[in-house]
Amino acid sequence: MPAVQRTAAEERIDSRSKRVTGLRERAGDRAFRWFVAGFGWMIIALAVMVGLQLAVGSQLTWTKLGAPFLWKSDWDPVAEKFGALPFIYGTLVSSALALLIAIPLGVGSAIFLAELAPRRVSDACTFLIELLAAVPSVILGLMGIFLLVPAVRSVEPTLTKFLGFLPLFRGVPYGVGLLTAGLILSIMILPFITVITREVLLAVPRSLKEAMLALGATHWETVVGVSLPYARSGIAGAVFLSLGRALGETMAVTMVIGNTPKISWSLLDPSYSMAAVIANELTEAVGDLHLSSLIAIGLTLFAITVVINGLARLMIYRVTRRGAAA
Amino acid sequence: MGGYSMRRKIVNRLMFALTALCALASLSTLFFVLGYISYRGLSSINWAFVTRLPKPIGETGGGIANSIVGSAKIVGLASLMGVPVGVLGGVYLSEYGHNKTGFCIRYAADVLTGIPSIVMGLFAYVLVVIPLKHFSALSGSVALAIIMVPVVLRNTEEFVQLVPHTIREAALALGVPQWKVVMRVVIPTASRGIVTGSLLAVTRIAGETAPLLFTSFGNPFWDNGWMNPMAALPHTIFTYAISPYEELHRQAWAAALILIAFVIAVNAGTRLLLRPSTGVSH
Amino acid sequence: MVKTLAMPPQYIPDSSPQGSPGGASQAVTLEVRHLKAGYGTTPVLRDVNIKFYDTKVTAIIGPSGCGKSTMIRCLNRMHEITPGASVEGEVLLEGKSILALDPVELRRHVGMVFQRPNPFPSMSIFDNVASGLVLNGARNRPLIAERVEDSLRKAALWDEVKDKLRQPGMSLSGGQQQRLCIARALAVEPRVLLMDEPCSALDPIATARIEELMLGLKNNLTIIIVTHNMQQAARVSDYTAFMLTGELVEFTQTQQIFTKPSDKRTEDYITGRFG
């Protein structure tokens, strides 16, 4: 660098950095990029590895029992009979029940927070609702056992009396069962539906709403006619995301569902879920096939939640443009 | 016409009143949970409870000191493994991730966030417990770390992205190599957000029970090192809750109060102090 | 992404009709030859030739979008960091092509001050000024402290901040922040200081202080300032370049350009006919 004048002080200060100029410096940048990219790739590797490991761990079940494992309904580890259907059924029904309760409540709350509440009230309420999402599920399970189960048990005779003509509400009042599981799951997913729906409702362009209001529509008609349709993809994403949560929720469900591998029409009967059977039986698996079948249930749960979350994310990306390369 | 318009106005009022009720119901659930746990747990918390080991069934006066310490250790190790991976991966997404690879990583992280924690526990079981042939605190930490990584990653990306472009330009214009711009200027500028996100991830895994059932397994005594079973607070709450003993139920409520106090305090505290506004971990 | 076009050897810059103010015979620090630059397929600069002289302030004026910012960003190769950016032509720093230099190294010799003050939010006042040195590996604390004080004095900020060097840089007022950024750029002892509308975010008093400061700084620096404010150009610069739609229209001594511009378009702009 003869052309550029350098002071003595600069020579001294720069003496260390001079060694890392030119091409080698850019090599440093490249090395750094590869270094951090490695950590990014670890996420993809992790996702693939979870699937692979579970597939390997459950190999015995797939080779011995094959796909019918998924639709057989007997589960008797001692007799070496393994069918996952009761767990899949219990998981799906309890989750559906949870959605049935949480969607109206969550979307309703979100409409209130996005459309009616002043911004500061809305932010404060959202903050608190997010706190509800932070409550550990074992604690909701604890409340489920000692509070919700007795409560459900006490209203079950009434339900049977008035709605007993439906197969959904027959049977002995245990308190534990699909209905209780659905109730507790709805509390767990409510914050997700509320917060995401509020976010997408807030993203509805003002001009659209004003156009509708200018036509003489009431505020509520604007919400139903403009905001909800505009946000429907995002709301659907929120619902799917919550469904993914509900399907895999373990502790609270294990504590209140009754843990009985039986398929029953009645919501009042004890049932079982995929996550719950893994939680309860894995440490006490009586043989290789039992262990392998539990891992197979885990793999099934993994596959279902990957598909559901994958769809949910794509729907949410479309509305909020998170995830899109900016 | 007048009656029709009147009906529309009433519908308007009625529906919004209903939405307000929905919001009220959601909020009261939170306060009810917090209030009820305090009501059941507060009377059983005393110094002995948090400093003593559990007593055999039938004796009263046992504590949960081993669970508290165990939780701190398991969550601490999980954070040591999970936070650096998540932060550096997030830096990749923010600084270099505006391409297909970035999209794939982002998508994988978002999907992983939604995978049930019990599946992650199962993964740690197959990966660590089966090869070592016994339960260990280490495997519990691995499971929790895996749950933590995608959350920290997406959060870090979000906050590093918020660092203004002008700050990067200023550093580049001083003749600083890009990697140093990122490490020494951009990351420190985003550090509050990164810390917030990491703490929120810590509160999330601190309450996790399912992945610990068959990894760290639980232990009624002081732990015997990373390669052996270790007690953890949420797991202890679960085992006490499903036990048939009144005394253990009482302790479960007290332990639940300690756990929820920690989770809520750290969660609310970090969000109030370090970050202005919302963003549930979705 | 960056294309370099080597000039034919017979090219003689002084034969160019533009880009050499009459009667000047100072040392040339930076020379721009046939510079073309753009974003993607949109050209921003079309064949600009200009020389910047040592110990002088050169102002670049012109309406928004005329390419003045792009031009100075080419001088320290900051233009290249924009995705899709392209450059052609040659820029010589004291006779040596800057495209042959490592951009990181080049930027230590050609410093820059931006439109909006941008001190590093995570750093104190002291650390902001020291950042260029420290991030480039300087370890000698006394020497760094000496350089920080020296730079803050040159930026006319020392007296205001000497008792609070450990406070965050963001705690200063807008004008002080901009002088902090100038001190930060000076600390690495550049040969050239590029200023991209440095006063556009500041109030008149803060602007006056920075203009005053520039007059003191030019003793051992080449200063190039982009401004949309013609009065400012007239006050601070020795030479002024007028650009329009990516071309250099006129480049001469400031006094001359503002009193008897030779090009009709310059006259129109200066007398306000371009808006």
Side-chain angles (χ1 to χ4, degrees):
Chain A
M1 294 277 314
V4 176
Q5 307 289 313
R6 297 164 70 101
T7 64
E10 191 171 43
E11 289 294 346
R12 269 180 289 152
I13 278 182
D14 259 10
S15 60
R16 241 187 102 252
S17 59
K18 243 170 117 181
R19 276 179 276 125
V20 286
T21 52
L23 275 176
R24 271 194 294 160
E25 189 144 39
R26 262 172 263 144
D29 286 342
R30 195 188 311 127
F32 178 73
R33 182 161 51 83
W34 283 108
F35 175 69
V36 289
F39 286 96
W41 277 101
M42 274 173 74
I43 293 292
I44 295 180
L46 205 60
V48 174
M49 255 174 64
V50 173
L52 275 181
Q53 287 281 357
L54 296 183
V56 171
S58 59
Q59 212 181 6
L60 189 63
T61 299
W62 303 119
T63 50
K64 265 202 160 168
L65 306 175
F69 168 73
L70 292 176
W71 55 81
K72 275 197 181 150
S73 56
D74 307 313
W75 182 269
D76 186 351
V78 182
E80 293 237 312
K81 279 185 177 171
F82 298 102
L85 193 62
F87 310 110
I88 298 175
Y89 174 81
T91 303
L92 292 180
V93 173
S94 59
S95 299
L97 213 53
L99 286 180
L100 218 60
I101 301 165
I103 292 175
L105 264 178
V107 174
S109 306
I111 292 174
F112 174 77
L113 294 175
E115 299 280 340
L116 212 59
R119 192 57 196 249
R120 291 178 68 179
V121 175
S122 172
D123 283 348
C125 291
T126 309
F127 180 86
L128 292 171
I129 289 174
E130 285 177 1
L131 275 189
L132 184 57
V135 174
S137 77
V138 69
I139 286 179
L140 288 178
L142 185 67
M143 296 190 67
I145 290 186
F146 294 106
L147 214 63
L148 197 59
V149 169
V152 171
R153 193 184 299 137
S154 67
V155 298
E156 271 178 2
T158 323
L159 278 178
T160 319
K161 192 169 158 198
F162 290 104
L163 296 168
F165 60 91
L166 291 169
L168 292 177
F169 298 99
R170 281 181 198 155
V172 187
Y174 292 104
V176 293
L178 286 169
L179 181 63
T180 320
L183 281 170
I184 212 139
L185 279 176
S186 70
I187 296 176
M188 312 201 70
I189 61 176
L190 182 60
F192 288 90
I193 297 187
T194 308
V195 171
I196 302 174
T197 305
R198 169 182 176 264
E199 202 176 306
V200 291
L201 283 178
L202 286 176
V204 176
R206 252 185 109 83
S207 54
L208 283 182
K209 290 191 266 183
E210 279 167 2
M212 184 88 178
L213 285 172
L215 288 175
T218 62
H219 193 171
W220 176 256
E221 286 161 352
T222 311
V223 169
V224 175
V226 175
S227 300
L228 289 179
Y230 186 89
R232 65 169 177 250
S233 170
I235 296 174
V239 168
F240 267 62
L241 211 59
S242 309
L243 177 61
R245 289 259 144 185
L247 293 175
E249 180 42 52
T250 313
M251 300 321 296
V253 175
T254 308
M255 291 159 94
V256 301
I257 201 168
N259 298 336
T260 310
K262 192 180 78 176
I263 297 175
S264 157
W265 274 106
S266 174
L267 298 179
L268 309 184
D269 277 347
S271 182
Y272 221 147
S273 83
M274 297 163 81
V277 71
I278 300 171
N280 284 328
E281 296 190 4
L282 193 80
T283 54
E284 295 148 14
V286 291
D288 285 347
L289 191 61
H290 189 190
L291 181 65
S292 159
S293 300
L294 289 169
I295 298 175
I297 291 177
L299 180 66
T300 313
L301 190 55
F302 173 77
I304 296 175
T305 46
V306 162
V307 170
I308 286 178
N309 277 287
L311 289 174
R313 288 300 171 182
L314 289 181
M315 284 191 258
I316 293 176
Y317 287 172
R318 252 183 33 198
V319 187
T320 60
R321 308 221 173 272
R322 286 169 75 115
Chain B
M1 185 66 197
Y4 177 59
S5 147
M6 193 62 149
R7 209 179 70 205
R8 285 170 59 203
K9 272 186 190 151
I10 291 173
V11 167
N12 188 43
R13 288 270 171 91
L14 191 73
M15 293 315 287
F16 276 112
L18 277 178
T19 64
L21 270 180
C22 289
L24 196 67
S26 310
L27 287 179
S28 22
T29 311
L30 172 73
F31 291 117
F32 179 72
V33 169
L34 296 183
Y36 192 77
I37 299 280
S38 308
Y39 160 71
R40 291 293 295 260
L42 208 53
S43 57
S44 307
I45 293 185
N46 51 46
W47 186 243
F49 183 67
V50 295
T51 53
R52 286 202 194 143
L53 283 181
K55 289 259 173 77
I57 286 154
E59 292 178 42
T60 53
I64 53 158
N66 59 334
S67 301
I68 296 175
V69 173
S71 257
K73 284 170 106 171
I74 293 170
V75 171
L77 182 64
S79 309
L80 279 182
M81 295 189 280
V83 170
V85 176
V87 167
L88 290 169
V91 166
Y92 171 76
L93 284 187
S94 155
E95 301 300 302
Y96 309 102
H98 304 295
N99 51 26
K100 274 222 173 82
T101 313
F103 179 83
C104 292
I105 293 171
R106 223 168 260 129
Y107 193 53
D110 281 348
V111 171
L112 271 184
T113 313
I115 301 302
S117 59
I118 192 154
V119 173
M120 295 307 194
L122 207 51
F123 173 60
Y125 178 80
V126 177
L127 193 74
V128 185
V129 178
I130 291 182
L132 291 179
K133 297 194 169 59
H134 57 86
F135 301 110
S136 62
L138 176 72
S139 58
S141 291
V142 168
L144 295 186
I146 295 168
I147 295 169
M148 199 175 188
V149 166
V151 183
V152 175
L153 178 122
R154 286 294 265 153
N155 179 80
T156 301
E157 183 202 0
E158 193 179 317
F159 281 97
V160 172
Q161 199 115 61
L162 286 181
V163 174
H165 192 60
T166 55
I167 297 293
R168 292 162 221 256
E169 284 200 329
L172 282 176
L174 287 173
V176 178
Q178 172 145 32
W179 72 271
K180 267 194 190 166
V181 173
V182 174
M183 290 303 285
R184 304 278 296 273
V185 177
V186 175
I187 293 181
T189 303
S191 59
R192 271 163 74 107
I194 295 173
V195 169
T196 309
S198 304
L199 282 174
L200 290 180
V202 166
T203 63
R204 178 167 165 194
I205 61 166
E208 281 291 354
T209 316
L212 300 181
L213 294 172
F214 34 82
T215 52
S216 65
F217 193 67
N219 178 346
F221 309 106
W222 288 114
D223 67 81
N224 213 349
W226 293 110
M227 302 313 284
N228 286 298
M230 198 183 277
L233 202 47
H235 184 241
T236 304
I237 296 171
F238 173 64
T239 44
Y240 284 12
I242 59 169
S243 77
Y245 305 103
E246 196 63 40
E247 167 68 12
L248 291 185
H249 295 166
R250 194 180 59 73
Q251 294 191 18
W253 287 108
L257 178 56
I258 292 174
L259 178 63
I260 205 168
F262 169 78
V263 168
I264 296 290
V266 176
N267 190 300
T270 47
R271 285 197 293 148
L272 282 177
L273 296 177
L274 293 170
R275 180 154 68 161
S277 164
T278 62
V280 101
S281 50
H282 59 258
Chain C
M1 203 136 301
V2 182
K3 279 186 283 177
T4 317
L5 194 76
M7 286 299 121
Q10 65 269 28
Y11 167 74
I12 303 158
D14 284 330
S15 68
S16 160
Q18 10 166 275
S20 48
S25 59
Q26 288 94 356
V28 175
T29 319
L30 267 177
E31 183 174 350
V32 174
R33 293 177 183 173
H34 295 297
L35 186 66
K36 293 176 191 155
Y39 301 99
T41 52
T42 321
V44 180
L45 294 179
R46 316 153 194 266
D47 200 27
V48 173
N49 294 281
I50 192 169
K51 286 173 179 173
F52 299 102
Y53 298 95
D54 196 20
T55 71
K56 298 288 181 229
V57 176
T58 305
I60 303 174
I61 60 170
S64 328
C66 71
K68 51 192 195 298
S69 283
T70 304
M71 169 146 106
I72 70 161
R73 288 172 67 89
C74 286
L75 300 182
N76 65 347
R77 297 182 62 181
M78 288 292 284
H79 176 62
E80 296 166 20
I81 66 171
T82 315
S86 63
V87 198
E88 260 179 63
E90 226 179 345
V91 179
L92 302 176
L93 175 65
E94 300 189 334
K96 203 169 169 185
S97 168
I98 65 166
L99 289 168
L101 285 175
D102 175 51
V104 172
E105 178 72 18
L106 166 72
R107 290 173 196 145
R108 290 180 206 154
H109 301 294
V110 184
M112 191 164 196
V113 175
F114 297 83
Q115 237 179 41
R116 296 189 163 274
N118 51 4
F120 299 132
S122 57
M123 296 185 192
S124 67
I125 293 170
F126 182 94
D127 290 341
N128 258 288
V129 180
S131 58
L133 303 170
V134 173
L135 294 179
N136 280 315
R139 284 283 168 78
N140 187 335
R141 297 303 296 179
L143 198 65
I144 293 171
E146 191 183 298
R147 187 76 77 82
V148 167
E149 179 176 343
D150 190 43
S151 309
L152 283 168
R153 280 188 195 283
K154 282 187 194 157
L157 192 60
W158 176 252
D159 291 333
E160 292 159 59
V161 301
K162 65 180 178 215
D163 300 322
K164 49 177 185 179
L165 290 172
R166 292 288 151 209
Q167 286 180 23
M170 299 295 274
S171 65
L172 299 173
S173 72
Q176 288 174 322
Q177 285 188 17
Q178 192 62 303
R179 275 180 283 144
L180 180 66
C181 293
I182 293 174
R184 182 176 64 187
L186 291 175
V188 291
E189 299 204 324
R191 296 285 304 117
V192 181
L193 187 63
L194 309 174
M195 304 177 96
D196 187 358
E197 305 203 19
C199 303
S200 63
L202 305 181
D203 61 75
I205 296 168
T207 302
R209 296 216 55 174
I210 289 191
E211 290 180 4
E212 212 174 289
L213 156 70
M214 287 169 64
L215 297 176
L217 284 177
K218 69 176 183 179
N219 288 329
N220 42 19
L221 262 180
T222 304
I223 298 180
I224 304 168
I225 176 172
V226 163
T227 177
H228 58 261
N229 179 334
M230 282 178 284
Q231 286 74 31
Q232 183 170 58
R235 284 192 299 264
V236 301
S237 69
D238 302 293
Y239 295 97
T240 297
F242 171 59
M243 290 181 66
L244 195 61
T245 58
E247 280 170 47
L248 180 64
V249 175
E250 189 164 353
F251 175 47
T252 183
Q253 274 151 333
T254 299
Q255 207 189 348
Q256 196 183 338
I257 210 169
F258 283 105
T259 50
K260 25 181 210 294
S262 54
D263 195 293
K264 177 78 170 63
R265 292 169 293 173
T266 317
E267 194 184 331
D268 284 348
Y269 182 70
I270 288 167
T271 53
R273 254 165 276 174
F274 267 105

